[in-house]
């Protein structure tokens, strides 16, 4: 069995499919499983239709030989975890620094930009040749976990691997178009609502946007449609901290924070019971809109005045 | 003298600076000139402050040794052209397939994704070592002319060169942030206006947006702030043709067209007196809003029905 984390991203799906394909090429019987359905934008990847739900994979349970990819701890398998035999041998292939080494064998490389990067070496080590399908899955993992080769984890090795994958038949325009460029109408509709509320403070160093439950109801947008919207606030020239506030169905306010270089938003979110890292973090707040906004904006302003955290 | 085209993009600026730096390293006296000011987002590049206007470069005219980079024909130098001596020797380094070989020596490689890609080889050939500054200029050219490594001209060679440049000290996160991610308030304001008008036809295969003169006046946005906005229409799932209509100060309507795979918008724009290529094109239309809209939308619908052009 090959499994990745719930709410899978491009590296999770790409890595699952790559391992599945490598095992098939080696003549192994393989079942790919994920608690969550494959997000629409990754369904063009070869083999995506073969990833099973826990329900569909149940009949062959318990699984004794498991490869977990991009899974930082076993809990992240969600409802797939109960399908593993108590004495299952687990190969844990991951790049998260927080990986707790839950595997029988742990191939954990925190310096890798994506699990797919580890799998490039792994598949070579097994002597498996990259066909265009396998290459497309690996490329998707590299592309998405580096923010389209835009994050600072885009190492020379990542681009060298990506170049290699193109030589093995990947169409870079097609992959980027499908997994990054394409948006749904709901995504654009909720983006428009967010942009309508764009506000600035602290001489333009702080920028934020608001989404209400009504915005979600009227646009039909869901949580996953918010992907990247907070960056519109953070990306404005002169801004250091960009924030997206949104009302949740439970009546709390969720804040997503991104920063360029001054404020450590991870620390800030932590002080409010949330988490994340210095440049990207989030937290959940009780209280009404005004209170939640104040709680965050006051702390951001204070952090800016202190010159950081 | 090193010169590139008017309204310079990342490849024009990156290539100008790269050639300037290579010549300096070889001990040559060099003047970099451009008719247009360096766009704000490229001003972080080392040496960007040394690019002169034609006025500033005039005192040393006429120039007898000229390197033109990313210039498809001599007209594209704009007001820099009169500064060239009549008998100037011009090295024409470019990747546009339409380059008319106006140079004394022409180093034109239509298969290169960017002029910067040619300059990677050229600088190596001259035995000039890449320092982090030179590498950042070359990387900017590669990154911008491939749409952030997302267009189909992202070849294995491009990513291999990009990988090499990272090894020479480029910070990929910083460059991408400055030249691609960062937006002005005016850009977001005009994007919001455009999204407010997003419309669909032909069962969602055609999507378009409108900007009026009033939108420009009220947001303070300029032509250059429209960069990429038409892609929001084209990128919607299911859309083949995305269009941005805008009223010009002269009372005409300008249409930018992008397509995914069915309609040849280059041909369509040409039939209306415009130009471009199959996936990206534009034209200027006389007549009022409704007439301009009809002229384009009817032709797009017909092309879709014919299954292409």
């Amino acid at each position: 069995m090959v499994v990745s984390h719930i709410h899978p991203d491009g590296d999770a799906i790409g890595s699952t499919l790559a391992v599945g394909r490598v095992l098939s090429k080696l003549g192994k019987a393989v079942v790919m499983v994920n608690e969550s359905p494959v997000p629409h934008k990754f369904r063009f990847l070869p083999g995506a239709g073969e990833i099973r739900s826990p329900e569909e994979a149940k009949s062959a349970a318990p699984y004794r030989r498991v490869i977990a990819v991009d899974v930082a701890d076993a809990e992240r398998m969600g409802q797939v975890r109960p399908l593993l035999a108590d004495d299952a041998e687990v190969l844990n292939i991951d790049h998260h620094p927080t990986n707790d080494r839950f595997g029988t064998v742990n191939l954990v490389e925190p310096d890798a930009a994506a699990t797919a990067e580890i799998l490039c070496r792994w598949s070579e080590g097994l002597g498996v040749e990259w066909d265009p399908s396998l290459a497309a899955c690996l490329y998707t993992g590299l592309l998405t976990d580096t923010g389209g080769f835009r994050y600072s984890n885009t190492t020379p090795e990542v681009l060298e691997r990506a170049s290699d994958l193109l030589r093995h038949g990947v169409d870079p325009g097609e992959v980027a178009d499908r997994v990054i460029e394409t948006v749904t109408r709901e995504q654009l509709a909720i983006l428009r609502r967010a942009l309508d509320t764009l506000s600035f403070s602290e001489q333009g160093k702080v920028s934020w946007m608001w989404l209400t439950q009504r915005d979600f109801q009227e646009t039909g947008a869901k949580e996953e449609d918010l992907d990247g919207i907070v960056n519109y606030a953070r990306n404005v020239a002169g801004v250091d901290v960009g924030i997206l506030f949104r009302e949740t169905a439970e009546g709390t306010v969720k804040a997503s924070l991104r920063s360029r270089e001054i404020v450590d938003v991870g620390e800030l979110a932590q002080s409010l019971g949330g988490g994340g890292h210095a440049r990207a973090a989030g937290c959940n707040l009780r209280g009404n809109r005004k209170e939640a906004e104040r709680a965050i904006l006051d702390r951001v302003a204070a952090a800016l005045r202190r010159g950081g955290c």
Side-chain angles (χ1 to χ4, degrees), chain A:
Chain A
M1 174 207 271
V2 187
V3 58
S4 188
H5 59 78
I6 57 172
H7 306 308
D9 53 16
D11 195 25
I13 296 295
S15 294
T16 298
L17 294 172
V19 170
R21 202 159 185 96
V22 165
L23 294 179
S24 296
K25 279 170 173 272
L26 294 171
K28 310 290 181 189
V30 53
V31 178
M32 300 179 287
V33 195
N34 200 292
E35 179 188 301
S36 321
V38 177
H40 199 267
K41 58 183 166 184
F42 302 124
R43 290 192 194 157
F44 76 103
L45 286 171
E50 292 156 38
I51 296 182
R52 304 280 163 244
S53 67
E55 191 54 38
E56 292 165 334
K58 215 171 176 175
S59 57
Y63 292 89
R64 307 190 166 281
R65 300 279 184 278
V66 177
I67 301 186
V69 285
D70 208 42
V71 176
D73 65 78
E75 285 301 316
R76 298 273 292 149
M77 297 181 200
Q79 287 310 309
V80 178
R81 202 184 177 189
L83 306 185
L84 272 63
D86 290 338
D87 60 347
E89 289 188 278
V90 179
L91 171 55
N92 164 18
I93 308 181
D94 187 31
H95 73 120
H96 291 95
T98 53
N99 189 291
D100 69 2
R101 271 77 175 170
F102 62 85
T104 316
V105 176
N106 299 292
L107 177 53
V108 178
E109 303 187 4
D111 289 340
T115 296
E117 187 185 351
I118 308 172
L119 294 177
C120 285
R121 282 188 290 275
W122 178 79
S123 56
E124 279 182 341
L126 289 169
V128 172
E129 194 148 343
W130 293 345
D131 58 38
S133 298
L134 177 54
C137 297
L138 293 168
Y139 190 84
T140 297
L142 291 184
L143 185 74
T144 53
D145 258 23
T146 57
F149 306 130
R150 289 182 191 178
Y151 298 158
S152 56
N153 65 351
T154 308
T155 59
E157 291 73 30
V158 166
L159 290 186
E160 201 173 359
R161 288 289 175 187
S163 167
D164 258 10
L165 292 166
L166 294 189
R167 284 186 212 282
H168 285 83
V170 176
D171 179 338
E174 192 204 1
V175 175
D177 195 30
R178 290 189 183 257
V179 311
I180 302 183
E181 301 284 350
T182 299
V183 294
T184 61
R185 289 192 196 194
E186 290 75 20
Q187 277 178 295
L188 278 194
I190 200 83
L191 167 62
R192 186 184 138 198
R193 297 286 181 120
L195 289 179
D196 280 347
T197 71
L198 189 69
S199 309
F200 296 90
S201 64
E202 308 302 317
Q203 296 86 48
K205 289 198 188 67
V206 183
S207 170
W208 71 93
M209 302 182 292
W210 264 102
L211 289 172
T212 63
Q213 275 297 299
R214 199 172 151 183
D215 291 320
F216 287 98
Q217 284 147 14
E218 290 178 359
T219 60
K222 303 205 176 53
E223 181 74 18
E224 70 230 43
D225 295 315
L226 300 182
D227 209 23
I229 287 187
V230 62
N231 290 320
Y232 283 85
R234 178 260 185 211
N235 287 344
V236 177
V239 164
D240 189 66
V241 180
I243 309 159
L244 176 66
F245 292 104
R246 56 192 186 277
E247 292 177 354
T248 68
E250 295 76 37
T252 63
V253 170
K254 207 164 175 172
S256 300
L257 298 107
R258 298 289 182 275
S259 86
R260 265 221 171 82
E261 47 186 22
I262 306 173
V263 176
D264 183 333
V265 291
E267 213 160 281
L268 197 154
Q270 235 168 21
S271 77
L272 289 163
H277 52 90
R279 305 277 81 93
C283 57
N284 258 299
L285 302 158
R286 309 218 152 269
N288 65 29
R289 279 183 58 161
K290 275 289 151 232
E291 290 162 350
E293 191 174 290
R294 267 297 116 231
I296 296 275
L297 293 182
D298 286 350
R299 279 172 176 79
V300 170
L304 272 172
R305 278 194 297 274
R306 284 194 307 273
C309 50

